Amino acid sequence: MASSQDLFLALDQGTQSVRAMLFDLDGQVVAKSQQHITPYFSKHPNWAEQNGDYFWHHLSLACLKLWEQYPQLRARVAAVALTCQRASMICLDEEMKPLRPATIWLDSRRTDNYPRLPWWLRAGVRAVGQQHMMYQLQSKAECNWLAADFPEVWARTRHFVQVSAYLSYKLTDQLRDAVPSQVGYVPFDHEHQRWADDGDIKWKALRVRRDQLPPLVQASEPLGVISRRASHETGIPEGLTLYAAGADKACEVLACGGISPDVGCISYGTTATINTGNARCVPPMPFLPAYPAAMPRAYNSEIIVQRGYWMVNWFKREFAAKEVQQAEERGVAPEILFDDLLDESPPGAMGLVLQPFWNPGVKFPGPEAKGAVIGFGDVHTRAHLYRAIIEGLAYALRHGKEQLAHRNRVPIHSLRVAGGGSQSDRIMQITANVFGIRTERIHTYEASGLGAAINAAVGAGYFKDHAAAVKAMSHQGQVFQPQAEHAHTYDRLYREVYNRMYDRLSPLYRSIRHITHYPKY
């Protein structure tokens, strides 16, 4: 190991962009290149797809631009790790070629043409009251609706893998994937962190075969080495080891130091989440799994607000043309100008309360769930609506925090926040006030990239374990303490209003779905 090799290349294939970043042993971003991408295309309502080679092309471009801007750093790279959007699946043929576009996690297709379980398994599912959960699994699983809607493609599918596995193959010529990337409708044993045993009901419920799934390796273990072909296309030095890291959310939790259940890790991304890390498997609610953490044989218990900061993009598209134009003129992100909107509205948005269930759920919220905004009056402007969005997301995540503390039997004493929303001081302060506890952002906005770099550093032997790497590479950023007056207002709104909304409105949501037939399922 040459002493001059002191940088770690983190490849972050997200939903909105792909980034190639170099981190040092202190966890600082030394250099970065970013390629914005089209998240998906949609030939029909509810479809969300993107070509596998589109991802590879833009990952390669991000790397080439990195070396173009920082040629002197290329020789200092010691190891590589990839983190990727999760639950996005792709069908490959015998020659490892994509048979059709990848299905992005935002795709909401379903099918009623799925395998029929034997009567004794159906009886068992009924006995534990999980008919709806099984229906959700079978109807939403990509392997089931692909086999039903595209039988000729499914018949030729030799490998059915996450986008992370496909990109790992493109980098190394080896089809393997990281254990912490296995989030989605696949027959995975979350407790033992391996493909399910032969007798597991998921093999009966899903059309995928064991031989279609890739070998799995734990976080910080080698996936392969950068091939000659990949080096030519990306500029990454040939022969460097690609270490397993995991899905973007798992890497964010690791970067935030979420390795014990007393720390809550919030990701304000396209999907907003709150996680706690644990050495034991603690499902966040009954019959929903704890996901593999981005460190070996550890777990993340996660509560999801599916549309999360997608709602900010929705607001930007529908209500913020002025800020978008001003941001273009100034050369800044429109979200930076949205802080002014928060300043135009007081805490509590003058009585406007938003429930951010813009996307149906499986258990809580249920499949009937819809978004809601209550308390409208003639005083309200788009500034109040924007504040209500930010506050509503925080309320939903606070509900998740209370649920995780109950499941873990460990109180959460502090929050660490990453993702796009963490860049705003106003949003960070609102979060601290809604939760009523100490809230901090970590030292870098590139949290998922840092989590990948931590795995590369551990895998390459620069640290003895992940705890030591986190201590060395993840640092406290700005800290936000609750403001007593505003925290009291939020606490009452949360307990007396927000917490009651879903139970009051869900019968109306069911009626809306029955009358309008939307959403269909």
Side-chain angles (χ1 to χ4, degrees):
M1 184 184 302
S3 60
S4 61
Q5 291 181 290
D6 56 355
L7 300 179
F8 306 97
L9 175 62
L11 305 174
D12 185 352
Q13 176 63 70
T15 303
Q16 306 286 341
S17 70
V18 56
R19 297 184 290 281
M21 295 165 282
L22 293 174
F23 287 85
D24 63 16
L25 286 162
D26 190 46
Q28 305 297 333
V29 178
V30 176
K32 167 183 166 181
S33 172
Q34 183 173 15
Q35 282 286 117
H36 291 283
I37 62 174
T38 301
Y40 62 86
F41 58 83
S42 185
K43 293 181 179 179
H44 302 281
N46 300 323
W47 291 28
E49 300 180 317
Q50 189 52 269
N51 292 314
D53 287 340
Y54 178 87
F55 289 128
W56 173 246
H57 174 68
H58 284 83
L59 185 149
S60 299
L61 283 180
C63 291
L64 292 173
K65 289 184 177 180
L66 182 69
W67 314 129
E68 181 181 339
Q69 296 172 46
Y70 306 97
Q72 73 282 7
L73 301 180
R74 186 172 178 270
R76 291 173 56 186
V77 178
V80 189
L82 167 73
T83 183
C84 193
Q85 59 173 281
R86 61 191 189 180
S88 294
M89 306 298 296
I90 191 166
C91 298
L92 306 177
D93 66 13
E94 287 276 359
E95 297 179 350
M96 311 300 294
K97 303 293 185 184
L99 287 165
R100 66 181 317 279
T103 302
I104 305 306
W105 60 272
L106 287 164
D107 195 294
S108 57
R109 273 173 280 186
R110 293 175 181 252
T111 185
D112 283 329
N113 183 5
Y114 46 74
R116 182 171 173 80
L117 298 176
W119 69 266
W120 64 89
L121 288 178
R122 295 201 305 274
V125 171
R126 270 196 310 274
V128 294
Q130 293 304 304
Q131 304 98 306
H132 178 67
M133 288 286 289
M134 180 56 67
Y135 170 72
Q136 290 289 316
L137 168 67
Q138 290 194 280
S139 65
K140 294 179 73 173
E142 294 88 353
C143 61
N144 284 351
W145 61 251
L146 281 166
D149 296 347
F150 303 93
E152 71 290 343
V153 170
W154 190 249
R156 296 174 57 205
T157 298
R158 177 64 184 85
H159 306 283
F160 185 62
V161 299
Q162 302 269 354
V163 167
S164 54
Y166 177 64
L167 294 177
S168 294
Y169 166 75
K170 296 290 285 186
L171 288 163
T172 67
D173 288 340
Q174 299 290 319
L175 186 65
R176 296 173 181 163
D177 205 2
V179 166
S181 292
Q182 304 316 305
V183 177
Y185 298 108
V186 289
F188 184 72
D189 180 342
H190 291 83
E191 182 175 0
H192 298 100
Q193 300 191 352
R194 65 192 185 206
W195 296 126
D197 291 338
D198 290 342
D200 194 294
I201 190 173
K202 288 190 278 292
W203 294 110
K204 298 285 189 182
L206 303 174
R207 295 196 186 278
V208 67
R209 305 186 310 273
R210 184 181 294 276
D211 61 55
Q212 290 176 298
L213 299 170
L216 301 178
V217 301
Q218 277 284 358
S220 74
E221 293 182 355
L223 288 164
V225 298
I226 302 300
S227 68
R228 178 173 299 178
R229 175 189 52 80
S231 180
H232 174 74
E233 295 186 36
T234 66
I236 303 171
E238 181 182 354
L240 285 180
T241 300
L242 175 70
Y243 289 98
D248 49 9
K249 296 297 183 186
C251 285
E252 283 189 0
V253 174
L254 179 65
C256 288
I259 58 179
S260 61
D262 60 324
V263 176
C265 298
I266 287 178
S267 171
Y268 279 138
T270 306
T271 294
T273 59
I274 182 166
N275 277 268
T276 53
N278 213 321
R280 61 191 182 95
C281 184
V282 181
M285 61 181 73
F287 300 102
L288 287 181
Y291 297 136
M295 55 187 290
R297 290 162 289 282
Y299 303 87
N300 290 337
S301 302
E302 177 179 280
I303 301 294
I304 297 174
V305 182
Q306 187 72 28
R307 287 286 179 169
Y309 264 65
W310 171 92
M311 295 185 68
V312 174
N313 290 329
W314 170 79
F315 177 86
K316 177 172 63 176
R317 184 183 70 237
E318 301 295 337
F319 302 103
K322 182 177 74 174
E323 282 76 14
V324 170
Q325 181 178 349
Q326 290 176 348
E328 289 179 357
E329 293 170 354
R330 298 185 196 178
V332 298
E335 289 79 1
I336 293 175
L337 304 184
F338 291 173
D339 278 353
D340 294 338
L341 292 176
L342 293 175
D343 292 339
E344 293 175 22
S345 174
M350 298 187 72
L352 206 60
V353 180
L354 181 142
Q355 177 189 270
F357 300 153
W358 255 235
N359 204 67
V362 175
K363 202 168 178 69
F364 183 87
E368 79 288 343
K370 290 182 177 292
V373 189
I374 64 172
F376 271 112
D378 60 3
V379 299
H380 290 122
T381 67
R382 65 197 185 99
H384 298 93
L385 178 59
Y386 181 65
R387 178 177 274 275
I389 289 172
I390 301 304
E391 292 173 347
L393 289 170
Y395 291 143
L397 292 171
R398 173 175 164 175
H399 184 272
K401 170 245 182 187
E402 293 173 356
Q403 190 171 329
L404 291 176
H406 172 73
R407 298 289 293 178
N408 286 319
R409 300 181 183 177
V410 176
I412 293 175
H413 297 297
S414 65
L415 296 177
R416 295 175 189 167
V417 186
S422 69
Q423 296 179 89
S424 165
D425 288 355
R426 309 315 196 276
I427 291 174
M428 291 294 294
Q429 188 61 62
I430 288 170
T431 304
N433 290 339
V434 168
F435 279 78
I437 58 177
R438 181 182 185 275
T439 302
E440 71 180 64
R441 63 163 68 100
I442 63 169
H443 71 282
T444 177
Y445 163 61
E446 298 292 356
S448 53
L450 176 58
I454 287 171
N455 271 291
V458 173
Y462 286 78
F463 298 99
K464 65 177 183 178
D465 55 29
H466 285 73
V470 167
K471 184 176 181 181
M473 297 179 71
S474 179
H475 309 290
Q476 177 182 296
Q478 187 173 355
V479 175
F480 297 81
Q481 298 288 355
Q483 299 165 319
E485 178 184 357
H486 299 327
H488 177 70
T489 298
Y490 282 128
D491 187 60
R492 291 198 61 190
L493 284 170
Y494 171 75
R495 289 185 294 105
E496 298 176 33
V497 181
Y498 180 85
N499 262 358
R500 300 178 180 181
M501 285 177 68
Y502 184 70
D503 286 343
R504 299 285 203 279
L505 293 174
S506 58
L508 302 182
Y509 295 152
R510 285 191 287 271
S511 294
I512 290 171
R513 186 173 65 157
H514 177 72
I515 294 166
T516 66
H517 307 289
Y518 183 82
K520 183 179 179 183
Y521 296 96

